[in-house]
Amino acid sequence: MKVRTSLRSLKQKPGSVVVRRRGRVVVVNRANPQWKSRQG
């Protein structure tokens, strides 16, 4: 999982879902798990 300062480019990819987990913003992509990342 990558840690990024901004998830704007990742959340626009097809199949991505923005989720809040324990106060962190996480992008999960089932179509391409390589794009899984969190902010912070």
Side-chain angles (χ1 to χ4, degrees), residues 4-40:
R4 303 208 167 205
T5 53
S6 177
L7 300 177
R8 184 174 295 166
S9 61
L10 286 171
K11 71 182 181 182
Q12 292 170 352
K13 297 198 185 281
S16 63
V17 181
V18 179
V19 187
R20 294 206 60 165
R21 290 184 183 166
R22 300 186 186 127
R24 291 182 174 146
V25 183
V26 178
V27 171
V28 181
N29 196 319
R30 292 208 174 134
N32 193 343
Q34 166 182 350
W35 291 329
K36 183 168 79 171
S37 63
R38 78 170 170 84
Q39 183 173 341

